[in-house]
Amino acid sequence: MRTWPLAATAVLALTLAACASGNGGAGDAPAASQPTVSHIHGLGIDPADDRLYVATHEGLFTPGKGGTAQRVGDSEDDFMGFTVAGANTFLASGHPALGAGGPGNRGLIESTDAGKTWKTRSLAGEADFHALDYADGTIYGYDSTGGLLRVSKDGTKWEDRARIEALDIAINPDAPDTILATTAEGVAKSTDAGETFAAGKAPVMAFVSWAKDDALYGIDTSGVLNRSTDGGTTWKKTTTVPGGQPQALTAVNARRILAATQDGVYESQDSGKTFTKRLTVSSSSPH
């Protein structure tokens, strides 16, 4: 693959820097009574109560009073890939906090109590999923340790699919054999459930999220949100999400979109035309 454009390289480097701290990168986080969020890796809405959850370098959070970060559970692990799989059910990957013990790569972990507690499902010590998606009863994960797309029906047995140098993946919820990956060349598409990918095509996106067949969203490396109604063949710009460089994107449905940037988490209820800040990110953190 060609070298990432400068802006794309910055996004990729930021993600990898947060990951590189591996065993204990989140150990210097403030006390749980005054948590600080420095870097965000995933966003999701729990359908059980419509609450927003934010997976970060310092653990899992939800917005509290005035947009402050409220820790969920007692874990200060570095959450990398993160997705909501159902009511109170979350899937994630990442690294243990300083002194927490266990393997440097968590593999696939699961919570069935809305993030309060977590258990290992598979691949502990092996996989580091930087992107996770769930569609039609299947888990899709991009394992950064080998640049490999992996797929599982039950969260324990995995099938290895294509190798691709990517930052994010998105699955068409109405046709799961169609998968997109964000690459240095642009958005790469697979139509055979990830067995192969065509070369990436412009525009270059940092993150993508697929709410429904005709509601695919992508955010580029400068924070410009785009929408595609034809599976990524063409894109139309909607607006620029406030706060600078993007860190995560989740389309909850065709109208509701969550985006994390350098200074916080923003939500749109009108298909990305306008955004409201939901949670503040610390600007002083080095991560």
Side-chain angles (χ1 to χ4, degrees), residues 100-187:
N105 292 327
R106 289 295 200 198
L108 181 72
I109 58 176
E110 179 184 41
S111 174
T112 55
D113 56 9
K116 297 180 180 65
T117 61
W118 294 84
K119 64 180 180 181
T120 299
R121 290 295 305 277
S122 58
L123 302 178
E126 299 178 37
D128 177 16
F129 292 112
H130 277 201
L132 285 166
D133 211 339
Y134 182 83
D136 195 30
T138 300
I139 304 166
Y140 300 81
Y142 178 71
D143 184 0
S144 68
T145 61
L148 183 67
L149 180 69
R150 309 179 84 166
V151 178
S152 177
K153 288 287 188 182
D154 60 6
T156 57
K157 297 179 181 178
W158 293 83
E159 295 181 15
D160 292 347
R161 304 285 170 88
R163 292 190 182 277
I164 183 170
E165 189 175 339
L167 184 59
D168 194 22
I169 59 172
I171 318 302
N172 185 335
D174 299 318
D177 281 353
T178 301
I179 303 172
L180 301 182
T182 59
T183 77
E185 297 175 326
V187 180

Side-chain angles (χ1 to χ4, degrees), residues 182-196:
T182 59
T183 77
E185 297 175 326
V187 180
K189 177 182 283 190
S190 170
T191 57
D192 56 9
E195 294 287 354
T196 60

